[in-house]
Each structure stands twice: as C-alpha cells, then as structure tokens.
Amino acid sequence: MARFGRPARTRVTTMAAMNSSSPLRWLLRAGVAVLAPGAGAAAAATDVPDPMQQRVAACASCHGARGEGLPGDAKVPRLAGKPAAYLQQQLASFQSGRRHHAAMEYVVRQLSPDYLRQIAEYFAAQQVPYRRQAAPAVAAAAMQRGEQLVRHGDPSRGVPSCASCHGDTLTGVEPMMPGLAGLSYAYIDAQLDAWRTHQRVADGPGCMVVVANRMTGDDVAAVAAWLASQPPPADMHPVPAGAQREPLPGWCVPGNGGVNP
Amino acid sequence: MKRWWRRGILIFVLLGMALLGWWLFAPGCVQQMPPAQLEAEAAKLRAPALIARGEYLAAVGDCAACHTERGGQRYAGGRVLATPFGDVPAPNITPDPETGIGRWSFEDFWRALHEGKGRRGEPLYPVFSYTSFTKVTRDDALAIFAWLKSLPPVHQPDRAPRLAFPYSVRSSLLAWRALYFKPGVYRPDPARSPEWNRGAYLVQGLGHCNECHTTRNAWGGMEQDRHLAGGTIPVQDWYAPDLGTQPGGGLAGWSSQDIVDLLKTGQSARGVAFGPMADVVRNSTQHMSDVDLQAVAVYLQALPARAPAPAPATYTQAASHAQGGELYARQCAACHGKQGEGAPGVYPPLDGNSSVTAPTATNAVRSVLLGGFAPATVGNPRPYSMPPFAQQLSDDEVAAVVNYIRQSWSNRASAVWPAEVGRLRHTPVD
C-alpha cells in the first residue's frame, strides 16, 4: 500500500468509539464547565479547540472520519486529498440541486458558502494512505482498451485521454480537477454513466458530458476497470495548476462551454 | 306547445351554463393607474429608509424561501410548492416588467397581500399565505413593496400551476375563501402589552407561523381552534410542533431565552431546528432583531395551557426495547449522552426534547434517517452534525431505537412501527 511521507495519524475517533479521553469528551467537559445552560452554540464553538472532524460527523458515517472512504462501500468516494476547490464546488452543486444524491443534498442544504469551503479544505488537507481497490474481473482485451483510453484516448472518436485533463499521474490537477487514481470501479462507472445521461453536469465547460457521450458502454466499463485495478501511486497529491502535459481541447476551455463539437 | 316548452328549458339551461362559464373563466382586467400617479408612487418607493425597512420585513416574512428556486436567482420564483391538491410554482416577484411585478402598482400588491387577489382580480391559491399576510399593515406592505421594486429585475416567466380538477378552476376558491379566509389587518389587543401585541402581529401575520404550526383539514383550511397547536405539514410530511410553552404545550418548559436562541442561532439548550424549520431559521428568523425575537417569545409564552394528551399505550415488546437500547448505546450515546442528556450548546438533549416526544414519531424517525447539520447562522456559523442512518439501519432498527428514545428517561410517547419508518424512508426531501 502506498504511503505518504508524513505518517498517518493512527487515532481515528469515530462516533461509535468515543472513550473518556476522546477529544469530544474533553470538549464536552470544557463546554459544560464554561457554559451556563441556554448559552448559544456559538459560544461553545469559540471556547473549545476546533475539532472539525467532530463537526463533520454527518460526512464521516459514509466517507470515513477523515474522508478516506469506507471499505465495503465502493459507491461512496474518498474525499481525502482531493483539490479543495473541486470539493467545494461539488458541495455547492449538491446544495443548488445541480448534482444529485438525496442524502448529500439534505445534509449540505443549510450550510453557508464559507462553511462549505472550510469543510472542503478540511478534507482536502487530510493525508490518509490509499486503500487498494478490489480489481474487477474483466477480459484482458477490455483492460487494454481501458489503458489505451486513459493514457492516449481514442482520436478516431474524438475522445481525449483521461490523463490530458486529470494529470499524467491521474492524481488530479489543482485547483479544480479531481484525481482518478484510487477510486473504485463502482464509483467511476456510476459517474461516467451519470455524465452520459446528463444526471451529472458541470458549472463550467461541459467537457465530461461530451467525452462520456463519445464513449461506448464497453469503453466506460473498460476505463473504470483499468483505473480501479491500478495500485495508487506513491504521491497522491494533485499536481500544481499549469502542470498539465497538453492543453485542454479548445471546446473544453472555461468560457467556451457552449461549444459542443 | 310541449315542444316549445322543452326548447325553452333547453335555451334556459344553455344560457345558465354560459353564464356560469363566464363567471368561472372570464379573464379579469388590470386596473390601470394614470402615469403621473404611477411616477409619484415610484418616487416614493425609492426612499432608502423605506427600502431598508422592507428588506428586513421581507426577511421576517421569508418571502425568498418560496419565491426562489433552488439554485435559482433570489425572488425570481420557480420553486414548485407541492400541495395535496397539486403543484403551484411560486411566481417571479422581481420588478421585471414582462415576467415579474415591474408593472404592478402598490394597490395591486396590497390587494394580493391583503385580499389574496391577483392583478386581474383573480383569487390566488392560498399556498400563498394571504390567510396570514392579510394581517400585515399597509405601512409594512409598502416597505416590502419598495424593497421588491428595488431588486434587480430577472426575466423569468412564471410556470402555470398543475392542479387537479376542480381546484384548477380558480373560481372554486371562492367557496374556500368564504369558509377559511377572513381579510383584516391585525388589531392590537389593548389589554395586552405592546410587546405581546408585536409578537402576535409577527407570529400571526408576517411570520405566518400558523401556516405550518396549525392543523389543516381535508380542504387545506386551518382549524381556528387549533391556533399554533401543531400539525403535520401536508406533502412535506414533517410535524410542525405545538408552540405552546405552558403545561401540555409542545414546547412546555421552554424559556423565552430558549425560543430566542433557537430562532436566532438555530439551536437552543432544548433542541435544534431541522427540516423545514432549519430553512426558516437560516433564511428568516436569524435576521430578526433581538427586540422582535423577544416579542415573539413573549407571545408564545402567553399561549394558553393545553389539555393534557391522553397517556400513550406503552410499547411492550421487551425484545425490541432491548435492541433499541443496544443501538442507542452504540450509535447515539456518544453525542446525546447515556441518559439522553446531550451536550449543552453542541448536541441537543433527547430526554425531555419536544421533537422527540411529539404526538407523532415522524420527526424523530426522519432525523435518524436523514441526520444533517444544524443550520449555519451568524450566531452558529460552524454547526455540528448528525450522521444519516438511512444507509446503516433497517426499518426495524430505526423503529427500535426511536421507540427506545421516545420511551426512556422522562419520555413517554407513543410507539412507531417499522412499516411507518419504511414509508418515511421513501418520503422525498423537498
């Protein structure tokens, strides 16, 4: 398993595993000691250390306490280490109804843009080792097709390579491009299908809608299978802005969104 | 002779039908104001102090909540309001001349707010809460109108309501109005304090609290003797609690400070705003002045004591209670405390929590299923949250843990059955 330079914290507090020394208990004792009953929540928030992990318990139950994703739930994406601006945009999209998922839409609906940013930054800053995804069983030819599409695209169908936008290392590009490495087959497959059927749409240029619609159903499965079967690279950080190997296709440049080749 | 007689009856019937048709479907006409008068009114509406007061009052009335589509431009309409009779999209109330209220005079606006009639005199569907807004004073209405007129115009055509027959015929509202709508500005009660009267004006009028917190009958009318005594919100299927704070009331034991805290920050020592009330706090009440919030609290504190509810049948399935207790210890106690005591200012107590012990378990069940954050407000900008358990717990488990919470410590509320959890699991979140 790939690891980051910085050792991962081993003590991960979950809702179910609170003990007497947990940050929450400390926080509660401090809160109880300081606050008279009836004092607003704001006072509690300023008088105690800032356990963001505790605040976002609603996220943790599906995405993991630090956004590392939960084993056994392949449809829920990992959040840790994704570009902050990307995460913030997705949260805002769930809020505005642009992106659909009933549970996500309900959870984020009452949050301010500023708090959404802080939550996005919290998960973006988490460095948790990637878990190797279960490799789906697909034919060798499909695996080859998947690798071809990811690395080189299919010029005959006008499909750019995944790497051309998501970075050569497939770990994403700051500030807005999410990584593809380390995601599960189920999640990639579901998202590509969502782009194909316009269930998922983007704020800016609708590149993914166009790209996904140029792929066949078999292409989608092949790409998802190949990506999910790769060992996560040692350094999972998104590459800095401007470090992309080739420029985005002309129709996929922000401001050019209406152009659908 | 007989034939003539028959023909006469036929003609009479046809004429009658034509008259009825005209009465039901005839287009109304707009009452035009002379241009000079319109210009004089427009100048008056541009006064900055009036606009500022209107902005505050529009927040108190939470106009934007209905008149803004999710992800859409504020006040440009488009949010579809679902009712048991059909869907009514809220109209555009930005001052766009073609699609908004750009050509409206104040008299048009006043007629809508006070009489529940559109610009052509047509009766408006009472999903627009004119049953409450009729109590708003003319001065306040003028300020709100000035604020709306000061907004940037948004060109967004209104969509037609989709209602089942006979509700699709607007004139069918005439009967409804005769039964359930009494126009009239709020009249202060001289026997009460100015603070109480201000609270009553806000709660009954602009704040339109009754629209959710009063039981509606099968025709969607509010039962007058059930004023603020709680009810299930049709279609949305959340229970809006009784707001009485005296013995037997839904908020029994809430202090004025608790009420002010909840409306100001979304959270009090006694509970958290969730579901539709979280929207209300975030969009509306958090922006209210302390003086007005205090007035609301004074008014709610003075609501009469309620008749004690009959004691619910005890849930006797010991095995289920044990399962609920085990689930509570594993999933809930870390935040809500072993004895349901909560954590002051952070997590609400469950022991004695009116949202838990409400006459129906709807809110408790949906809170367990949906989880979520307290609303982010100026007073509580980074709220804590509760995990959604819909993905983790079965209908049986949710019922067991909710029954445990509703019947432990000092709580004595009725039981919920797994089938009801299954129904609520599939109730769409607006």
Side-chain angles (χ1 to χ4, degrees):
Chain A
M1 187 184 282
R3 287 195 178 275
F4 292 105
R6 222 183 293 172
R9 275 172 48 183
T10 48
R11 191 181 68 186
V12 175
T13 314
T14 65
M15 300 297 293
M18 292 291 172
N19 56 46
S20 59
S21 65
S22 75
L24 176 69
R25 283 289 165 217
W26 188 91
L27 177 163
L28 297 187
R29 272 199 218 109
V32 173
V34 170
L35 295 169
T46 50
D47 289 353
V48 294
D50 183 5
M52 193 63 171
Q53 187 176 308
Q54 188 59 39
R55 289 179 190 276
V56 297
C59 316
S61 64
C62 294
H63 294 278
R66 298 172 65 200
E68 71 277 16
L70 296 182
D73 201 348
K75 285 186 181 154
V76 180
R78 174 192 170 93
L79 305 176
K82 285 188 175 173
Y86 167 75
L87 291 177
Q88 187 185 349
Q89 187 199 46
Q90 298 308 305
L91 288 170
S93 294
F94 282 119
Q95 198 172 50
S96 68
R98 186 180 277 281
R99 196 171 169 186
H100 303 289
H101 186 277
M104 279 302 305
E105 290 171 65
Y106 182 79
V107 164
V108 302
R109 64 190 288 172
Q110 298 306 339
L111 303 181
S112 64
D114 189 52
Y115 197 29
L116 290 182
R117 179 184 56 75
Q118 293 177 38
I119 293 171
E121 284 171 355
Y122 166 77
F123 284 113
Q126 300 305 309
Q127 302 196 15
V128 197
Y130 269 70
R131 195 176 23 248
R132 177 96 187 245
Q133 297 292 338
V138 293
M143 223 38 141
Q144 262 181 8
R145 172 73 180 160
E147 179 172 14
Q148 168 73 25
L149 284 165
V150 171
R151 292 209 184 285
H152 308 292
D154 184 347
S156 71
R157 299 175 68 96
V159 177
S161 71
C162 304
S164 62
C165 292
H166 292 273
D168 285 343
T169 56
L170 300 169
T171 54
V173 181
E174 293 284 4
M176 294 300 284
M177 198 62 72
L180 303 178
L183 293 175
S184 72
Y185 174 86
Y187 182 71
I188 300 171
D189 186 64
Q191 295 308 308
L192 280 169
D193 269 345
W195 289 115
R196 270 156 60 93
T197 54
H198 296 251
Q199 288 298 300
R200 191 170 169 184
V201 289
D203 274 333
C207 321
M208 277 312 299
V209 169
V210 177
V211 172
N213 272 295
R214 289 175 179 177
M215 296 166 74
T216 65
D218 287 348
D219 284 349
V220 168
V223 163
W226 189 83
L227 283 170
S229 60
Q230 300 309 299
D235 182 359
M236 287 296 295
H237 287 92
V239 298
Q244 271 165 233
R245 182 165 50 94
E246 47 192 91
L248 291 166
W251 48 268
C252 205
V253 171
N256 240 357
V259 185
N260 192 351
Chain B
M1 187 64 193
K2 202 174 178 188
R3 191 192 281 171
W4 282 108
W5 179 236
R6 232 187 256 163
R7 216 173 266 183
I9 288 182
L10 188 70
I11 289 169
F12 183 76
V13 168
L14 283 174
L15 264 174
M17 281 169 72
L19 256 169
L20 185 74
W22 177 82
W23 180 67
L24 288 176
F25 298 103
C29 55
V30 178
Q31 290 174 3
Q32 286 294 356
M33 215 189 231
Q37 205 178 332
L38 262 176
E39 189 37 52
E41 182 180 292
K44 196 164 89 177
L45 291 172
R46 282 193 288 266
L50 189 68
I51 291 171
R53 200 161 71 84
E55 180 178 10
Y56 174 76
L57 293 168
V60 174
D62 207 3
C63 312
C66 286
H67 289 280
T68 307
E69 197 173 15
R70 202 167 143 218
Q73 305 214 53
R74 269 172 88 74
Y75 296 104
R79 179 176 170 189
V80 176
L81 305 162
T83 78
F85 313 100
D87 294 343
V88 185
N92 181 349
I93 54 168
T94 68
D96 183 63
E98 272 89 43
T99 63
I101 59 165
R103 297 203 179 108
W104 285 47
S105 68
F106 173 63
E107 280 311 318
D108 295 331
F109 184 73
W110 174 250
R111 199 155 49 145
L113 208 65
H114 187 72
E115 292 174 40
K117 287 189 175 164
R119 199 164 169 241
R120 290 181 173 78
E122 75 277 19
L124 298 175
Y125 288 109
V127 65
F128 169 55
S129 307
Y130 55 82
T131 34
S132 297
F133 298 145
T134 188
K135 293 183 191 286
V136 173
T137 64
R138 222 176 138 86
D139 279 356
D140 281 356
L142 184 73
I144 294 170
F145 188 59
W147 158 246
L148 294 175
K149 283 280 196 179
S150 77
L151 295 169
V154 178
H155 189 87
Q156 180 169 298
D158 292 338
R159 279 176 283 165
R162 284 187 309 187
L163 292 149
F165 185 80
Y167 318 113
S168 51
V169 180
R170 275 194 189 266
S171 306
S172 66
L173 283 169
L174 295 176
W176 190 94
R177 292 163 64 100
L179 288 169
Y180 304 117
F181 174 48
K182 206 168 145 232
V185 170
Y186 176 76
R187 279 199 305 213
D189 179 349
R192 302 278 196 166
S193 69
E195 202 177 22
W196 182 94
N197 274 301
R198 176 69 179 166
Y201 172 71
L202 291 169
V203 169
Q204 296 176 18
L206 200 48
H208 61 292
C209 309
N210 271 302
E211 302 289 333
C212 289
H213 289 276
T214 296
T215 304
R216 286 179 187 273
N217 61 21
W219 297 105
M222 286 183 278
E223 295 174 10
Q224 286 304 313
D225 55 336
R226 299 268 302 153
H227 178 71
L228 296 174
T232 295
I233 308 172
V235 186
Q236 290 190 24
D237 214 353
W238 288 95
Y239 180 75
D242 176 3
L243 298 183
T245 59
Q246 301 304 316
L251 302 183
W254 281 56
S255 68
S256 290
Q257 191 60 48
D258 293 331
I259 294 170
V260 171
D261 280 345
L262 186 110
L263 296 175
K264 187 89 192 165
T265 70
Q267 195 161 349
S268 81
R270 298 220 160 228
V272 170
F274 54 87
M277 193 61 202
D279 283 276
V280 173
V281 170
R282 184 161 157 66
N283 286 317
S284 171
T285 59
Q286 68 157 323
H287 304 295
M288 288 172 69
S289 70
D290 292 347
V291 173
D292 277 350
L293 288 174
Q294 190 60 40
V296 168
V298 164
Y299 174 71
L300 294 182
Q301 291 281 342
L303 287 175
R306 314 291 193 197
T314 334
Y315 192 56
T316 49
Q317 292 190 0
S320 175
H321 196 74
Q323 183 197 14
E326 195 265 325
L327 279 165
Y328 182 83
R330 188 149 45 90
Q331 303 281 16
C332 319
C335 295
H336 292 291
K338 282 186 182 137
Q339 301 301 316
E341 70 274 22
V346 182
Y347 295 116
L350 301 182
D351 183 16
N353 184 320
S354 53
S355 303
V356 173
T357 57
T360 146
T362 302
N363 291 0
V365 169
R366 295 193 79 181
S367 294
V368 170
L369 292 171
L370 294 165
F373 286 79
T377 56
V378 174
N380 185 21
R382 303 161 73 218
Y384 286 82
S385 64
M386 165 164 163
F389 286 96
Q391 291 89 329
Q392 295 182 44
L393 300 183
S394 69
D395 293 350
D396 284 341
E397 289 172 320
V398 172
V401 78
V402 167
N403 286 334
Y404 178 83
I405 293 166
R406 273 167 69 83
Q407 303 189 345
S408 292
W409 319 301
S410 67
N411 296 347
R412 295 288 173 269
S414 61
V416 65
W417 300 98
E420 175 69 357
V421 177
R423 188 183 69 78
L424 291 168
R425 189 188 284 277
H426 299 293
T427 302
V429 173
D430 175 33

